[in-house]
Amino acid sequence: MPTVLPRRSPDAAGPPVRHVTDAERRARLAVRHMLAPSFRAGSPQDVTRAMTVLHATEPATVHLSCHARTNALTTADVDRALFIERGLVRQLAMRRTLFVFPRDLLPAAWAGPSARVAAAERARMAGDVVEAGLASDGHAWLDHARADVLALLTTAADGLTAREIRRAVPAIDVKVAVRPGDPWTASRVLTQLGATADIVRGTNTAGWYASRPRWTLTRHWLGAPPAALDPAAGYREIVRRWLYTFGPGTEDDLVWWLGATRTTVRTALADLGALPVTLDTAATGWLLPDDLQEVTDPGRWAALLPVLDPTVMGWCGRDFYLGPHRAQLFERRGNAGTTAWVDGRVVGCWVQDVAGRVHLRLLESVTPAERRLLDEEAQRLTAWLDGFRVTPVYTSPAMRT
């Protein structure tokens, strides 16, 4: 367990210890996110640890995020880490978003953000069940549904798909439509069970670009459960890792990224002894007390990142890398499309043609040297995809132009 320093309120942390420019933030991003070529990782596990977690709402994002940060990685390598070695695990957590976690960070997620999501899911589902007329006691209905699913999976060591579970447990084979355009079905029960860490998304029965998991008891997939953490300890560990990956970040960044309260964030920062720094935006950022040294500029680099990549989704204050392009690169619900990066700045996006070739769509002028770096990355990604066309759910205005 990491050392917990004497607690100190962020308000009492004293004056800023130094200034961190946007240029330095971009250099930290290149190094910590393993995007500069000389800092690329060697495995999916290395990538995930570097990024704290990987976004997994779109299944292909996990593999594409790993490719962007490695030199010689295949989709099979990522699947092996997820489904054979099981050092990486898919878990619903912050902001009710699906992520890939390093296995050792799961207890922190279960205690903190996943528990928060599970409680919100329970309250919403219980209310919906009553409003839909399925039962007079929504919590009792959910408890029975959960128990039936867990009993079924007890004898299914390899897990079952959502369709198989629905057929075996008719009580959850329902459609609840109490909000126009927002119905839910049996899978919502599985989602809530996953948020409480009773079950986990196990083996994927589809290709790397789709998600059709076998739901499995967590103890079947991961073995004996690790020691439980309290919520404060869970949030503290996640904030610690986030600060190393994304720091300096502001309170607003952390509140948004965690989907947590400002009190939760301030408590974690105080427990970690985080120190304030000033940013070019005039906001206060935070760094870990043992991470105050300036990061050396890694040199010229370019990267092509997928939809919802953890780098572009890491902060809510994004001007230092997005510049004026936010509206063109995010769809209306706040989900990022593909992005093309040069030296820590987003300069456009990328798309594929009918043959699967990767093409750049730039939103600003770049130098000939920068264009060469971008073209090299487009060629590298084209070769890696080998004719396969990724069809993302979330597309930005720039991707649709």
Side-chain angles (χ1 to χ4, degrees):
M1 291 291 295
T3 300
V4 179
L5 298 174
R7 185 173 176 184
R8 171 175 54 192
S9 167
D11 294 333
V17 294
R18 72 181 185 91
H19 183 75
V20 181
T21 66
D22 286 350
E24 184 185 345
R25 296 181 79 184
R26 291 191 286 267
R28 290 174 69 95
L29 179 157
V31 173
R32 298 290 171 84
H33 296 200
M34 297 185 166
L35 292 172
S38 58
F39 290 90
R40 284 180 183 155
S43 71
Q45 292 90 336
D46 290 342
V47 170
T48 308
R49 286 184 178 280
M51 298 308 303
T52 302
V53 290
L54 299 180
H55 271 263
T57 302
E58 293 209 10
T61 292
V62 176
H63 298 73
L64 289 163
S65 292
C66 286
H67 162 73
R69 296 169 171 87
T70 55
N71 288 320
L73 197 71
T74 67
T75 57
D77 293 329
V78 180
D79 285 346
R80 185 180 305 108
L82 285 165
F83 308 126
I84 305 300
E85 299 166 356
R86 302 179 187 179
L88 304 178
V89 182
R90 292 175 290 178
Q91 175 66 40
L92 197 73
M94 294 76 73
R95 309 186 312 281
R96 200 185 177 277
T97 298
L98 186 64
F99 294 93
V100 166
F101 276 78
R103 182 167 173 158
D104 69 323
L105 191 55
L106 285 172
W110 295 337
S114 293
R116 180 182 174 88
V117 169
E121 284 290 291
R122 167 176 277 278
R124 179 181 179 182
M125 293 175 69
D128 288 352
V129 164
V130 173
E131 187 173 348
L134 290 177
S136 59
D137 186 333
H139 288 285
W141 181 93
L142 180 57
D143 287 338
H144 286 302
R146 285 171 50 90
D148 288 347
V149 171
L150 292 175
L152 173 67
L153 292 178
T154 298
T155 59
D158 293 331
L160 298 170
T161 65
R163 176 179 293 182
E164 291 168 335
I165 294 171
R166 188 173 66 247
R167 289 174 176 172
V169 185
I172 69 169
D173 191 10
V174 296
K175 183 175 182 179
V176 180
V178 298
R179 296 178 188 82
D182 188 24
W184 57 265
T185 58
S187 294
R188 195 66 171 260
V189 177
L190 304 182
T191 295
Q192 207 273 338
L193 279 162
T196 57
D198 291 288
I199 64 177
V200 66
R201 293 165 176 81
T203 303
N204 188 26
T205 63
W208 64 271
Y209 46 83
S211 179
R212 285 194 286 274
R214 291 187 180 278
W215 289 91
T216 308
L217 290 181
T218 302
R219 68 175 184 269
H220 286 168
W221 191 252
L222 298 177
L229 298 177
D230 63 71
Y235 277 113
R236 181 172 62 242
E237 178 59 11
I238 294 174
V239 169
R240 184 183 72 83
R241 299 200 192 190
W242 185 93
L243 282 175
Y244 186 81
T245 299
F246 297 98
T250 66
E251 280 187 12
D252 288 343
D253 291 329
L254 274 163
V255 168
W256 173 80
W257 190 87
L258 283 171
T261 65
R262 195 168 296 275
T263 297
T264 296
V265 168
R266 288 182 173 177
T267 298
L269 290 172
D271 287 347
L272 291 166
L275 294 172
V277 297
T278 55
L279 306 176
D280 281 354
T281 60
T284 297
W286 295 90
L287 286 173
L288 293 169
D290 59 353
D291 188 30
L292 300 178
Q293 294 296 315
E294 185 172 348
V295 172
T296 302
D297 191 307
R300 308 306 304 273
W301 63 276
L304 301 184
L305 301 184
V307 167
L308 292 173
D309 185 84
T311 294
V312 75
M313 297 295 293
W315 299 264
C316 70
R318 299 166 177 149
D319 288 350
F320 78 96
Y321 59 92
L322 277 185
H325 306 312
R326 182 189 294 252
Q328 287 293 97
L329 295 169
F330 284 74
E331 51 95 72
R332 61 181 177 82
R333 290 162 293 186
N335 300 296
T338 62
T339 47
W341 296 68
V342 171
D343 299 339
R345 297 179 299 106
V346 179
V347 296
C349 69
W350 60 271
V351 295
Q352 289 178 276
D353 63 20
V354 293
R357 291 184 294 265
V358 173
H359 295 274
L360 300 168
R361 289 187 176 168
L362 300 184
L363 298 175
E364 63 181 67
S365 298
V366 297
T367 68
E370 291 171 338
R371 181 67 195 222
R372 283 193 295 272
L373 289 172
L374 287 165
D375 286 341
E376 288 171 3
E377 283 302 299
Q379 293 163 12
R380 189 170 81 94
L381 182 54
T382 295
W384 188 79
L385 289 168
D386 193 25
F388 181 79
R389 293 184 66 206
V390 179
T391 54
V393 173
Y394 301 112
T395 55
S396 66
M399 293 170 69
R400 295 191 297 269
T401 300

